[in-house]
Structures are given as structure tokens and as C-alpha cells.
Amino acid sequence: MKQIVRTVGGGGRGSHKPAMKFGKEFASQMVPEWQEAYMNYHNLKILLKQILIFRRRHTRSPENPAKPRLSPSKAGSLTRRVSLFRAFSGLTSRYGTTSPKKDQEDEVILVSAMQTTDEEEQGEGDRSYRTTFLRSSEEGGDLELVFFRGLDHEFNKVVQFYKNKVEEVVKEAEELSTQMDVLIALRIKVNHNNHVSPFERNTGTYPMEVIDEEQQEKKSNDTKDDTKGYKMASLEVLNHIKINHTTETPLSTMKNVFKSLSLDLHYNKNEVRDAEEKLKQAFIEFHEKLRFLKNYAFLNQLAFSKIMKKYDKITSRNASDAYLQMVEESYLSQSDEVAKLIERVESAFVKHFCNGNRHLGMNSLRPKAKREKHRITFFMGCFFGFSLALMVAIIVSVHARNLLKSEGRTQYMNTIFPLYSLFGFMVLHMLMYAGNVYFWMRYRVNYSFIFGFKPGTELGYKEVLLLSSGLSVLTLAAILSNLEMDLDPKTNSYKALTELLPLVLVIVVILITVCPFDIFYRANRYFLLVCLWHCICAPLYSVTLPDFFLADQLTSQVQLLRNLQFYVCYYGWGDFKMRNAETCNNSEVYDVIFIVIAVVPYWIRVLQCIRRLHDGRDSTQALNGLKYFSTIVAVVARAIYTQKKGITLKIIAASTSGVATIFSTYWDLVMDWGLLCRNSENPWLRDKLILPSRSIYFIAMVLNVILRLAWMQTVLDFHEAPFLHRNALIAIVASLEIIRRGLWNFFRLENEHLNNVGKFRAVKSVPLPFSYEDGYKNL
């Protein structure tokens, strides 16, 4: 809050930086998913601008119509000059501290609050506020009347949204309180079962320290009564609850399928630890929602104050006092449920999850904002510079030795090129992801929340560029070293050693990825590995957005997976010693695995669709699974045709590829991107768009179709161009698919963001550890 006040209020003493305009600051501080629920400051400013234009055109001096009247700023400066000659009234004088009462003739507006339905059934927040403009008969009064109608609409919208959200958090607080009662009882049962008194064991009650909210509010320090702050906690609650399945594993899923898994409590420490972890996360998300609500109320009150001050300045009226008094007396300002809940949640969290360590608790509840590190920018620039220098060195080396026309060109392209192109695919994919992150941040797509990253651990575009540029430096250095070692007469006899460079680089990348130490963004590496494990074990895990998002990325990296297969064959069978891939190219087993490798990512998506269909009963997932299955058929048909040829296989491959292309393209545009809507406010697009230009969406749709058709080159026998080797052409087509996936990533997440906005989902939904018997809460 203090940061917002400082930013909106100006640069402060000694600050030479211009303060950001309130409209931009207001937009930047909004919760992205609640944007529509905030006061529409921009539209109200447009209405005020219309009033200002009208007044400038029609306000003229009666004595000289051609000469405009004295502007308020000039009149103010004249008044200030006169005031310089008045007697000094003293620093402690109270004259002028209260504004004189206005006569009824000076009133501009009358604000009234009306009950929307029967008053007996309504609370304080169920009021509709209406402003009566008393000067509508004046010239230009109709514009001001429109302004106040819009202002009332925005204020009623804000109040109603805030009240609904407060009611939600109050219900969630009650649910969390019940869950905490169960957790505390479970703690007592597990930790103190072996050393309790006979009375406590027989009665089933134990002394439990609780947070005395009334005592906290009064800030009493009386500690004479040792029993103060304690109440008797009954373990009777454990007889009416069941523990939810806290940790999903492939084994637990299989047990669930073949055997009814018991949810009864077994009173062990593992259950307590799992329940504590889930409730801790639930408290963190609940606290974040409360902070969002508190910030929402503050920002909107500030916005109404700013817009009314602008109105007074433009019209030279004094209507802000009356309107802001109504704002101050409304539910938006008077309700204190959120502030109290924040205090209670913080106290409970510190006490029950941090052993009373408030500093630790506040760090968990209020994680610090991620700071931009200048060294990341520095090293990113260095790595990009090194990459460019190495690329130039490679080009010069190839051109100077005329390697493109040498006898070993074909052998090099069949062996070394596939080994190093793997890293090229990785770097390109990372560059596309960095571009995605940049534009997500620019257009306020909350990718961190959508993916479920731990707050403060998400990678920005600079971090992704740092990793991609670092990997490109290693790759290009290895390529240049390989060229020089092969061409140098002194090292030419050690070809086996030079062939190991790509393998060493792969091992380094794998070791960094699985490194358990807190280096190289461990949280993100762990997140990636967990999602990858969920993909491998599909459908034994519930499918979340990061899981199927990663699986979709794998469908665009089929050539990378095939290159990994080539690594295994090339180094496993010892062909690297002679730089000869004949063993791999002439093996039927290799050809079969070559097809299976391409099918695996799409098969993972099919299994994920089946699991989502089972969990959510969503019929569209059946069609989505059918789409991926059609792609599997097309991939297999194309691979068989490439290996065996024949006109029949060519027809089958072309037809299946055509069907899969049309199906996938339609799904991309309609289901994943949410476009091609006939009755939309934006023709053939969505009602709501994030990008400022609609033409970008049409360009993206055309590019998606064109890049989707790139895989047809295998069917049309464009395997080799006169100036390109077959492997080079395959790498180009694979790169085009990676670029298409990068475009897909942005619009897919944009659509997901708009869905969250439509449902006002701004915090993660954390499953609670305990469930209750029917009617338990009414006992």
C-alpha cells in the first residue's frame, strides 16, 4: 500500500523522476484476472474530456465573444498574487480548516442509496447508489449527466463485486477454521497419545492453546492467569471426518482403479505432515486473495477520488466532497472483514505453521517481489556476443577450407550434423519461449499463475535468454572445436576423441538439469522434471495445464527425440569410432523405434485426454484425443512411406496427413485460441482481445496454417534440394514446427488467461486435506 501511495502521490522530496500518470499506475496495480471489476477509469476520463472540449468551445467572455474567459489556472495565479499582500494568519490558526456550509443553491449533486430489493432481506452492501445532477438544465449539462450515470454504474459494480468477494472469503475462512480444528485434533492424537492423563484419555479432551482474537485486539499483556488463552479441544471431530488422498502417485492411482482405497485416518505422522503441507498452502493462497481484496478496495477508492477531483477541476464545481463522502460511507470503505481476516490468518499461520516465528511466517505469506539483476543482463549480452563471434568463426572456417564441396561433406551431414542439430532445436525453442514470456509480461498475461510457478521463482525472458545464449555458446564452441580438430594434421588421428564432443555436451546438459543443488534455477528445473514425469506416467496422474502444455511442446520436438535415438545408436554401437552410421541406417529395429519415437508424444496426449475425460466428464476431451490419434496415424503412414515408398503408401500418407492437418488447425484456432467466432464483437475473433491490433490474429492464423503444411514435404518427396542435404532440409522443417509452436504458445495462454478473467480466478485452488460426513457441520 505504501508503495502505491508513494508512486501515485509523486516522486517525493529530492526526486527528479516524473511521477507515473495515475491511469497507468492504476492499470499496472490491478489484479489481471479482476480487471473488468475495477472502476473503468479510462472511459470516465473520456467523458470528462468531452466535457472539457465542450466548455472550451462554448465558454467565451460576454464583453468580447472572440476572447475566451480567464482560465482557472490564470485566475488562480492572480488570486495568489493578491494573497501575497494579505496579513499573515499564523501557523496555528484554525481559520479555514473547515469548509463553510454550502447553501442549497450551491449544491451540484445529491447522492442517495437505495435498496435493490426488500430491505429486511438486504444487508448494508446490497444498496444501489444513485447521483442526481442538479445542474442538468445548464448548457452542456447533458454531458455531465452522462458522466454521473457512468460514475454510478462503475461504483455500484465495484461495491457489488467487493461484497460478493468478501462473502466468498468469509465462507472460505469458516472452511479453513474447520480444517484447522481437525488438524489440531489429529496432531494431538498422534503426538500425545502415549503420554496423556487417564482423565484426558477417557474424556477424549486435551488442553489446546488457541489464538484469543479479543485479547489480541485489546493488546492485553496480562499473563497472571496461566489458563488464559486455553480451551479444551475435543477429539470427537476425528469421528466425523475422513482424510482426502493427499499425494497422488501412479501406485495410488492403480489402487484406486482396482480396489477401493480407504480414506480413513490411521493417525500417523505422515498423514499429519501431508495435511499440514496442504493446509499451509491453502492459508498462503487465502492470504494472497485477502491482500488482493484489500488492494482492490484501496485502489478503487483512490480512483474515485482522482476522477472526482478531475471533474471539479474541469467544471470549476465542488461536487467531489459530496460524492466522496458517499464513497467513504459505503460498504467499500466501511467493511473491515478483510482487514480482520488478514490479521487472524497471519496470527494463525505464524502460530501453527511457523512455531511462532513471525519473520518466517511473513516471508511465506508475503514473498518479496522478484528483483531484476543487472548481472543477468550483462552475461546475457556477453553470451550473445560470444555466440555471434563463434558463428562468424565457423562460417569463415567452412568457407576458407571449402568444406561444403569436400568429399567428407556427406559423411559429416549424416553423422555430426544430427548430433549438433539437437542443441539447435533446444536453443530455438528456448528463444521462442523467451519471446512468449516477454509478450505475456507486456500484455499482462499472468503466465506465472496459469502455470502454477511458486511465487518469485518464475523465469523472466532475460533469464530464458541467458540460458539459451549460454547453451548456444557451448554448442558453437564444440562445433568449432570439432572442425578444427578434424582439419588439424596434428589431431587428425584422434577422430574418436573428436566424435565424443557432442556426447560430452549432452551429458553436461543432463547433469545440469538433474542437479540437486540450488544452482541454475533449481525450482524451475524441478518443476520441469515433475511435469515430464507426469507426462511419462500418463494417465496415472491428474492432468494439469503445465502437464499437457509440456506434452504439446514434445509433439513439436519429434526430430529432437529422433536425434536422441541417433545418439544412443551412434555411440552405443560404436559407429562413432569410424564416423559411420551404417549400423543405424541399415537396422530394421532402428527403423521401428524411429516410428515409435515419433508416436510417443502424441500418445501421451491421447492418454492425457482420456484422463481429463474421466476426471472432468468433458466431452471435448474425447474429440481432442481423436485429433491426436489422427495425427498418430498420419505420422506412422508418413514414416512407413519414407522407408518403403510406393504409390499406395503415398496416397495413404497424403490423405491421413491432410485429415490430421485440417483437424489440428481447426482445433488450434477454435478450441485452443478461441478464434473464428461468427457472432463476435470482433468479426471472426473473440469478443475480448489482448493485442491492440486485430490484424495480428489473422496473420497468426495464416502462419499457423502455412507452418502446419510444412510436414507435407515428406509426402511430396521434397527430401533433398540441389543446394541442401536431406538432413539440413529435415532440420529446417523441424525448426518451422518449433516456430509454429512458439506462436501457438502465446495465443493458447492468452485464451487461458481470458478464461480466468471471465471467471475472476486470481489465486490457485488448493485441495483441502479433510472431508466431512454429511451433516457434520450442523452438529
Side-chain angles (χ1 to χ4, degrees), residues 20 31 136 237 275 345 347 396 470 499 546 582 618 632 661 702 746 764:
M20 184 184 295
V31 179
S136 58
V237 63
V345 167
S347 298
V396 170
E499 300 298 304
E582 292 299 325
D618 184 3
I632 290 176
T661 300
V702 173
F746 176 83
K764 290 185 290 186

Side-chain angles (χ1 to χ4, degrees), residues 162-178 286 289-290 293 331 335-342 344-345 777:
Y162 183 71
K163 181 179 182 298
N164 293 339
K165 285 297 179 182
V166 170
E167 291 176 352
E168 286 182 16
V169 296
V170 169
K171 292 179 181 179
E172 292 176 16
E174 294 175 355
E175 177 66 23
L176 285 177
S177 297
T178 307
F286 184 62
K289 188 173 184 179
L290 293 174
L293 268 178
Y331 185 84
S335 175
D336 60 350
E337 285 95 336
V338 174
K340 288 183 178 179
L341 279 175
I342 289 177
R344 295 169 183 172
V345 167
K777 290 187 177 181

